[in-house]
């Protein structure tokens, strides 16, 4: 298992969720299936950074099954413990995708960053959105990541490189509004090349899940 620095003060999936949704309307800024795959990857990455799981040849193994009183990752870890070790990361991405926006969105509701808004359209389908409540809080991850990516004087740390890789996998680079998109894209690719193997394998699994969902939609 790779040893990472201590757990970040803000959750990775929370940052990705805020980048992936419009601050005011709460609508996703990319196709929902892409956002769901990237968010699922962010939850698995949280467990990796916290040292609760490891990836061995892209398969997930639990290394710490204790409850941390963090409801979202505790729920995911409980499923992993129940279903056993050795399942491919991509299988977990697909398993988590159907509810991941609700789970992460509700965590941000509890944190006071967004509110849950439910509406029913003319086709009687219910949609859920998460408009921001605190403008500074909801904009912070996007502003911070964009500023970091537009600086070329130092390599990305593993957490930032993972977040950036998930942003790209989710079709969200344009949401950063970079002044130099080609440089930002290269910075993301360079950061990914320097990631530890298990984080690189996770991003590969996210890419594969995104490609599979895109193929399903085209069919």
């Amino acid at each position: 298992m790779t040893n990472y620095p201590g757990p970040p003060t803000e959750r990775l999936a929370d940052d990705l969720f805020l980048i992936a949704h419009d601050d005011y309307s709460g609508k996703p800024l990319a196709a929902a299936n892409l956002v769901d795959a990237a968010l699922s990857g962010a939850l698995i990455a949280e467990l990796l950074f916290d040292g609760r799981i490891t990836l061995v040849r892209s398969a997930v193994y639990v290394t710490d099954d204790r409850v941390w009183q963090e409801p979202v990752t505790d729920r995911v870890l409980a499923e992993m413990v129940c279903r056993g070790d050795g399942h491919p990361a991509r299988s977990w991405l697909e398993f988590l995708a159907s509810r991941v926006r609700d789970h992460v969105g509700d965590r941000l509701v509890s944190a006071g960053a967004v509110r849950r808004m439910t509406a029913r359209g003319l086709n009687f389908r219910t949609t859920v959105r998460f408009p921001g409540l605190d403008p500074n809080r909801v904009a912070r991850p996007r502003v911070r990541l964009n500023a970091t990516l537009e600086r070329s004087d130092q390599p990305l740390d593993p957490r930032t490189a993972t977040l950036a890789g998930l942003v790209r996998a989710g079709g969200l680079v344009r949401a950063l509004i970079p002044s130099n998109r080609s440089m930002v894209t290269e910075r993301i690719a360079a950061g990914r090349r320097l990631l530890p193997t298990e984080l690189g394998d996770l991003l590969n699994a996210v890419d594969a899940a995104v490609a599979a969902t895109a193929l399903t939609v085209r069919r």
Side-chain angles (χ1 to χ4, degrees), residues 195-215:
L195 282 174
T197 299
E198 58 186 353
L199 289 170
D201 287 348
L202 175 59
L203 289 180
N204 289 339
V206 174
D207 286 342
V210 165
T213 58
L215 181 62

Side-chain angles (χ1 to χ4, degrees), residues 31 77 114 161:
L77 193 71
V114 302

Side-chain angles (χ1 to χ4, degrees), residues 34-83:
L34 304 187
V35 173
D36 291 344
L39 279 173
S40 299
L43 284 183
I44 294 175
E46 285 189 21
L47 292 169
L48 283 169
F49 280 109
D50 290 344
R52 304 173 78 185
I53 65 169
T54 189
L55 261 63
V56 179
R57 292 187 292 276
S58 299
V60 175
Y61 294 83
V62 174
T63 57
D64 181 353
D65 63 1
R66 292 173 296 175
V67 175
W68 280 28
Q69 304 302 322
E70 197 298 294
V72 178
T73 49
D74 281 350
R75 183 185 295 116
V76 174
L77 193 71
E79 289 285 356
M80 291 177 171
V81 171
C82 179
R83 295 169 188 272

